[in-house]
Amino acid sequence: MGKIFVFVNQKGGVGKTTSAINIGAYLALEGKSVLLVDFDSQANLTSGVGINAFKPGIYELISGGAGFDSVLRKTALSGLSVIPASIDLSGAAVELIEQKGREFFLKKALEPARDRFDYILIDCPPSLGVLTLNGLSAADVVLIPMQCEYFAMEGLTLLLQTVKRIQKNLNPSLIIEGIFFTMYDSRTRLAQEVVREVSAYFKDKVFTTIIPRNVRLSEAPSYGMTISQYDPQCSGAKAYRSLAMEVMQRGA
Ligand SMILES: Nc1ncnc2c1ncn2[C@@H]1O[C@H](COP(=O)(O)OP(=O)(O)OP(=O)(O)O)[C@@H](O)[C@H]1O
Ligand SMILES: [Mg+2]
């Protein structure tokens, strides 16, 4: 049965989407069937894997306007599929607030996915709003990308409080598999300090692999390519491959 991971951090631009795409890509290259779920109305994940047919997508699926099969798209990478997002998803946040069981729409919508895919990776928007709560309710495992900067720790505390609340009220079996560092620049002392401090505090909840700052990772999505397709030898590609292996091993 497929396992559902959710990438969450309310801070913007920390690497949620880049990580979902590239961890997904390396899991697919390991022969797994992988579904990426774009749950952000910015639709960066969708365009980042080269899909430009945004509808019907996740909004239509959760609102009952389309069936599971009609929202699936295959990417150019074998084994890697995506459910796209469109700007319509921003309206869903408002519509959902009004409804009973509003935190469980995504969970319900993804029910058919577990039998069809080994890994389902949900990319969330940069907020702790109703969409992210849906992501956390639907998932088995939370993955938290973190940039190595001063305010990251404060954001992390708030995020972990939210996850604990979800575990208590909505999804008791949710596991925090871990925190991983992105856009790491070894030349700055601050980055080293953040890694040391977070690792000392969260211990085995911190992944060993650190994703370096690497311009190739930021170029790849503009060509609609994963890093494995765009530049498999670059430092970012090697790091995401290693992180995907860690995700697989921890989740076994
Ligand atoms: N390791 C990296 N090195 C260099 N650039 C990166 C790296 N990871 C991500 N980027 C770039 O940084 C920007 C933010 O990354 P990304 O979109 O993955 O973050 P996000 O957390 O999904 O953002 P948002 O909160 O807006 O959804 C993007 O332009 C991306 O290409
Ligand atoms: Mg994103």
Side-chain angles (χ1 to χ4, degrees):
M1 200 164 90
K3 197 158 178 179
I4 305 184
F5 291 83
V6 65
F7 291 80
V8 176
N9 194 325
Q10 74 274 25
K11 209 167 167 337
V14 299
K16 294 180 285 296
T17 303
T18 305
S19 301
I21 291 175
N22 292 308
I23 291 172
Y26 282 106
L27 291 173
L29 284 166
E30 284 298 299
K32 305 293 179 187
S33 59
V34 180
L35 174 64
L36 299 174
V37 180
D38 192 345
F39 208 44
D40 182 357
S41 61
Q42 299 179 94
N44 294 151
L45 182 142
T46 305
S47 54
V49 293
I51 303 292
N52 45 32
F54 298 93
K55 293 192 224 181
I58 194 67
Y59 171 72
E60 288 75 15
L61 184 65
I62 61 169
S63 60
F68 188 75
D69 285 291
S70 69
V71 298
L72 285 182
R73 311 272 193 291
K74 286 202 158 71
T75 72
L77 188 70
S78 169
L80 188 69
S81 298
V82 60
I83 300 181
S86 69
I87 189 70
D88 290 358
L89 188 60
S90 57
V94 180
E95 290 166 28
L96 286 175
I97 298 270
E98 310 280 308
Q99 300 197 34
K100 209 166 148 253
R102 58 182 177 265
E103 292 94 351
F104 296 109
F105 278 78
L106 184 63
K107 183 185 171 80
K108 211 160 167 291
L110 292 180
E111 266 165 16
R114 284 197 194 264
D115 291 337
R116 310 255 298 261
F117 296 91
D118 298 315
Y119 292 101
I120 298 127
L121 309 184
I122 305 169
D123 182 28
C124 284
S127 90
L128 293 174
V130 70
L131 293 181
T132 297
L133 297 186
N134 264 266
L136 289 166
S137 301
D140 303 308
V141 173
V142 195
L143 297 174
I144 303 171
M146 202 174 151
Q147 226 177 314
C148 310
E149 55 182 32
Y150 181 67
F151 289 114
M153 276 296 256
E154 291 170 32
L156 190 58
T157 309
L158 177 66
L159 174 52
L160 292 173
Q161 282 167 2
T162 305
V163 172
K164 289 214 174 88
R165 222 175 51 232
I166 297 277
Q167 286 170 323
K168 193 158 164 245
N169 300 317
L170 302 172
N171 186 1
S173 57
L174 182 66
I175 295 169
I176 305 174
E177 191 81 37
I179 298 162
F180 59 91
F181 299 103
T182 62
M183 295 181 231
Y184 180 77
D185 183 349
S186 59
R187 292 167 305 182
T188 73
R189 225 180 60 205
L190 180 62
Q192 296 172 13
E193 271 169 29
V194 171
V195 168
R196 202 174 321 123
E197 209 176 307
V198 173
S199 304
Y201 191 78
F202 292 101
K203 302 193 171 70
D204 60 342
K205 291 282 175 210
V206 179
F207 283 85
T208 313
T209 307
I210 295 176
I211 307 297
R213 187 170 282 285
N214 176 211
V215 69
R216 308 298 274 168
L217 285 169
S218 59
E219 291 166 0
S222 62
Y223 297 93
M225 287 186 196
T226 68
I227 200 64
S228 68
Q229 296 164 308
Y230 182 64
D231 187 353
Q233 294 309 323
C234 73
S235 61
K238 288 178 180 156
Y240 271 115
R241 185 173 182 282
S242 152
L243 187 56
M245 297 306 120
E246 252 193 275
V247 166
M248 233 163 66
Q249 280 155 13
R250 286 188 181 223

